[in-house]
Amino acid sequence: MSIPTHSWLQLLTILVMTTLASLSQANVSVPSAQKQQAWSFSGPLNIDPLNISGLVVTQQFTALASDEGQSIELFTFQQTEQKKWKSLATVPLSQKDDELDIEALAWQAPYLYAIGSHGVKRKKLKAGLSQKQNEKRLETVVREPARHQLFRIKLDDQLKVMETHSLSLDSILQQEDILKPFSKLPSKENGIDIEALAIDEKGRLLVGFRGPVLRGNTLPVLRLKLNKREFAVKKHKLLYLHTDNGGGLRGMSETENGFLILSGPVGNQSMPYQVALWSGENALKGKDQPSGAVKTLCHLPTSAGKPEGIQFISQSHKLIEFMIVQDGLPNGQPTLFSCPSR
């Protein structure tokens, strides 16, 4: 007896969805928050408190970034009955009223790095407009140069700003044949969207992309070697990694033996936020792919916010502890989580 084509398609669809669901749940545990509000603040933030997009925690200070506005904020630890951060300074990155879209931070003494998304955007549709008017909005793709910057802020021993320099990665993105076609696509449509930043053991910057996500759930990471005397890129190389959930990179942080990577939706689709451990090696699939270069650790619990920043805290033979801040939650709601270190 023959089975109608549409039945075969239904069976195939069910099989694919079941397989994907099982893969997404396999060997993945949900971390539990060690403390519901691991850190709080002694006063109101001087940056947009509902759009926290990145953080760095060091022994001397903490820095928070917002993807709205032109500043980052530095905090010192205030020892009270409850752990609190006390505002130390607000660091303006522009004297203009431009939207910098700062998405990530990284620290290597004496430099604090901050990076913008380097993405373009398409105008949103509005229910109060006609279809023709909304079609015109869809035709409009906007490039804002202020968002296309990598900043280097030099701090002294007292955490005062000594100097600030910036450069754009646009020319480098155009030199990479794989990334170049995505530079004209809006960031939420799988175009260029930088949201992660870290520094390797050789002092090279690792720039992670929320988009594009390439075929085979392949995520690009741009490695930058900087000139020692001036703030300029000396060499660059694309690395690749893969995640189980098919999401883009939302955050990255150095660990004792690699990098924690936070991945999640490229756009607004529903998908779990995942934390994995990456060795820092090029993990592109192939017969010479290094074994165990990327290890899935856990999914984050469902939240009303959007996890956008991750900071490694500590590691034992059983657990990796890290902090998450979230866009859409007051002050980013910095919360401590732990995952099995596997």
Side-chain angles (χ1 to χ4, degrees):
M1 181 180 68
S2 62
I3 300 177
T5 301
H6 66 85
S7 297
W8 276 114
L9 291 175
Q10 289 175 347
L11 289 172
L12 181 60
T13 300
I14 292 172
L15 178 61
V16 170
M17 295 302 293
T18 302
T19 302
L20 289 175
S22 63
L23 285 174
S24 66
Q25 297 298 324
N27 299 319
V28 176
S29 59
V30 177
S32 57
Q34 296 287 326
K35 298 178 182 178
Q36 179 56 38
Q37 183 76 14
W39 276 264
S40 59
F41 300 88
S42 60
L45 269 61
N46 295 310
I47 57 177
D48 191 324
L50 289 177
N51 289 278
I52 301 301
S53 54
L55 85 161
V56 160
V57 180
T58 77
Q59 293 182 347
Q60 297 85 18
F61 70 96
T62 292
L64 289 180
S66 170
D67 57 17
E68 301 286 340
Q70 304 84 30
S71 302
I72 58 178
E73 190 165 2
L74 305 182
F75 301 85
T76 55
F77 183 73
Q78 186 178 32
Q79 185 63 52
T80 60
E81 292 183 1
Q82 295 181 338
K83 293 181 179 180
K84 288 187 177 182
W85 284 334
K86 181 180 180 181
S87 182
L88 175 66
T90 303
V91 181
L93 299 178
S94 175
Q95 301 302 320
K96 301 179 181 179
D97 192 24
D98 293 329
E99 182 59 64
L100 300 183
D101 198 21
I102 298 300
E103 295 287 358
L105 301 172
W107 167 253
Q108 185 182 53
Y111 298 117
L112 178 63
Y113 295 90
I115 196 165
S117 65
H118 283 69
V120 300
K121 60 183 182 179
R122 192 185 305 276
K123 288 190 173 182
K124 295 181 180 180
L125 302 182
K126 293 187 176 181
L129 298 179
S130 67
Q131 289 183 333
K132 186 174 182 179
Q133 289 173 315
N134 272 329
E135 186 176 16
K136 285 292 184 182
R137 294 183 68 83
L138 286 178
E139 293 172 357
T140 304
V141 175
V142 180
R143 182 185 183 279
E144 299 177 355
R147 296 170 177 256
H148 297 240
Q149 295 184 84
L150 169 66
F151 295 89
R152 187 182 71 179
I153 305 110
K154 185 176 182 180
L155 302 177
D156 66 12
D157 294 339
Q158 304 302 314
L159 302 179
K160 293 183 179 179
V161 177
M162 302 297 293
E163 58 186 28
T164 300
H165 297 284
S166 68
L167 58 84
S168 173
L169 299 181
D170 283 345
S171 62
I172 292 174
L173 297 177
Q174 293 298 311
Q175 294 174 41
E176 294 289 349
D177 291 338
I178 289 178
L179 295 179
K180 182 178 179 179
F182 295 94
S183 63
K184 294 183 179 180
L185 294 177
S187 58
K188 301 306 181 286
E189 298 175 21
N190 208 37
I192 294 294
D193 192 1
I194 294 172
E195 287 209 2
L197 190 65
I199 302 175
D200 70 10
E201 72 283 355
K202 294 183 179 180
R204 298 171 296 192
L205 291 182
L206 297 175
V207 177
F209 295 78
R210 175 177 174 179
V213 176
L214 307 172
R215 188 166 186 170
N217 293 341
T218 305
L219 306 181
V221 175
L222 185 62
R223 189 175 68 194
L224 306 175
K225 182 177 181 179
L226 302 176
N227 282 334
K228 293 183 178 180
R229 294 185 179 180
E230 59 178 330
F231 187 44
V233 177
K234 184 176 182 180
K235 293 182 180 179
H236 56 90
K237 181 179 181 179
L238 268 183
L239 307 176
Y240 303 92
L241 56 90
H242 305 265
T243 60
D244 294 339
N245 63 353
L249 291 179
R250 306 296 293 260
M252 185 160 36
S253 179
E254 306 89 354
T255 73
E256 297 171 356
N257 56 349
F259 302 88
L260 281 181
I261 56 172
L262 170 66
S263 61
V266 174
N268 295 318
Q269 66 268 42
S270 177
M271 94 170 28
Y273 287 82
Q274 178 178 288
V275 176
L277 183 63
W278 174 45
S279 67
E281 299 174 275
N282 187 3
L284 184 65
K285 291 179 180 178
K287 63 181 182 180
D288 51 348
Q289 178 185 11
S291 176
V294 181
K295 298 180 181 179
T296 299
L297 298 178
C298 54
H299 285 174
L300 294 180
T302 302
S303 170
K306 299 177 181 179
E308 293 220 348
I310 187 169
Q311 170 65 54
F312 169 77
I313 300 297
S314 65
Q315 182 173 355
S316 68
H317 68 286
K318 291 185 178 180
L319 295 175
I320 290 182
E321 194 174 52
F322 55 91
M323 182 181 295
I324 295 288
V325 291
Q326 302 191 45
D327 187 349
L329 298 183
N331 299 334
Q333 193 172 310
T335 304
L336 210 59
F337 292 91
S338 63
C339 279
S341 57
R342 296 184 185 275

